[in-house]
């Protein structure tokens, strides 16, 4: 990895400052855990800069309050009370569901995903936030519930300085191609390989 030095200087007419501050599209994909966790870590950095944060949670159950939700919404309350950091909004798309335990019909889930994406489009168009986490958004794209060409075009043409981080397995090749930064989480070792299930404070 470059140590603060760029590998190339593109002939794009931008100043160094303008190029450095260009908004990023980031994709965290791969089979291993940590994709959402890394995205929420970036959100905490964004909060520290005073940016408005929006999380759109697509797959995990709407009834499941993950640790990151509690932490970020607490930071949002701190901002409301003291002005420190930035505002935080957490959206749970539809009724919520899990890829390992579905509730409702596929039509219901597809409709929820489509409405969730419509909300994101509206927020991007109005520049409602500075930093977006589209948590597990690769799944509705992978299953065809959201049109990938529309997603890519919307993200490529989003106005202002809005950073977007998308997480989830099986990222569509078009998303990967459009992204500025792509990370693929791969497993070297995992406690479950030795029969140890997920635990409080680590997985949630």
């Amino acid at each position: 990895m470059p140590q603060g030095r760029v590998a190339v200087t593109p002939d794009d007419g931008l100043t160094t400052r303008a190029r450095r501050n260009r908004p990023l599209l980031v994709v965290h994909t791969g089979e291993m855990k940590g994709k959402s966790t890394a995205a929420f870590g970036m959100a905490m950095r964004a909060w520290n800069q005073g940016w408005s944060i929006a999380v759109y949670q697509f797959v995990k159950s709407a009834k499941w309050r993950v640790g990151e939700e509690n932490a970020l919404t607490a930071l949002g309350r701190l901002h409301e009370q003291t002005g420190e950091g930035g505002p935080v909004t957490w959206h749970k798309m539809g009724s919520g569901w899990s890829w390992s335990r579905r509730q409702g019909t596929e039509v219901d889930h597809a409709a929820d995903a489509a409405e969730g994406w419509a909300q994101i489009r509206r927020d991007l168009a109005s520049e409602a936030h500075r930093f977006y986490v589209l948590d597990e958004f690769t799944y509705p794209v992978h299953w065809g519930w959201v049109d990938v060409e529309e997603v890519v075009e919307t993200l490529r043409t989003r106005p202002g300085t809005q950073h977007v981080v998308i997480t989830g397995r099986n990222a569509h090749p078009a998303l990967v191609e459009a992204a500025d930064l792509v990370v693929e989480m791969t497993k070297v070792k995992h406690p479950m390989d030795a029969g140890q299930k997920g635990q409080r404070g680590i997985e949630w």
Side-chain angles (χ1 to χ4, degrees):
M1 295 294 292
Q3 301 299 310
R5 300 183 181 89
V6 296
V8 296
T9 301
D11 185 16
D12 53 13
L14 297 177
T15 65
T16 299
R17 174 188 283 278
R19 191 180 303 111
R20 179 174 190 170
N21 294 325
R22 184 171 57 87
L24 297 180
L25 172 59
V26 179
V27 174
H28 294 172
T29 192
E31 297 298 309
M32 186 56 169
K33 69 188 297 290
K35 297 177 286 293
S36 297
T37 304
F40 294 136
M42 294 177 69
M44 293 181 70
R45 289 179 173 175
W47 178 87
N48 188 58
Q49 296 298 320
W51 296 355
S52 175
I53 312 299
V55 178
Y56 305 82
Q57 187 181 8
F58 275 86
V59 173
K60 297 181 178 72
S61 171
K63 297 180 180 178
W64 180 19
R65 289 183 63 85
V66 296
E68 292 93 343
E69 179 185 358
N70 290 334
L72 281 172
T73 53
L75 289 175
R77 290 193 298 272
L78 179 63
H79 170 74
E80 293 172 358
Q81 296 164 4
T82 69
E84 185 175 358
V88 176
T89 304
W90 193 291
H91 299 278
K92 294 183 178 181
M93 301 294 104
S95 59
W97 59 284
S98 166
W99 59 268
S100 62
R101 185 176 60 194
R102 301 188 181 192
Q103 297 177 351
T105 68
E106 184 165 325
V107 173
D108 294 333
H109 301 320
D112 288 344
E115 174 51 33
W117 168 238
Q119 180 63 53
I120 293 167
R121 290 184 66 194
R122 290 190 291 268
D123 288 348
L124 287 169
S126 65
E127 299 184 54
H129 307 283
R130 183 76 184 275
F131 189 93
Y132 298 72
V133 177
L134 280 52
D135 191 34
E136 312 282 18
F137 186 58
T138 61
Y139 294 102
V141 173
H142 178 70
W143 290 320
W145 296 348
V146 177
D147 181 70
V148 68
E149 292 184 3
E150 180 181 273
V151 169
V152 168
E153 179 63 19
T154 299
L155 294 174
R156 277 180 170 162
T157 59
R158 67 191 187 279
T161 55
Q162 302 177 98
H163 299 274
V164 179
V165 183
I166 296 173
T167 74
R169 302 183 183 193
N170 302 312
H172 194 285
L175 274 181
V176 172
E177 175 65 24
D180 302 290
L181 172 62
V182 180
V183 175
E184 184 172 14
M185 302 289 190
T186 58
K187 185 182 78 171
V188 177
K189 296 179 71 174
H190 195 291
M192 289 189 72
D193 297 336
Q196 183 176 351
K197 292 186 176 181
Q199 58 179 296
R200 186 186 307 271
I202 303 299
E203 270 75 29
W204 68 90

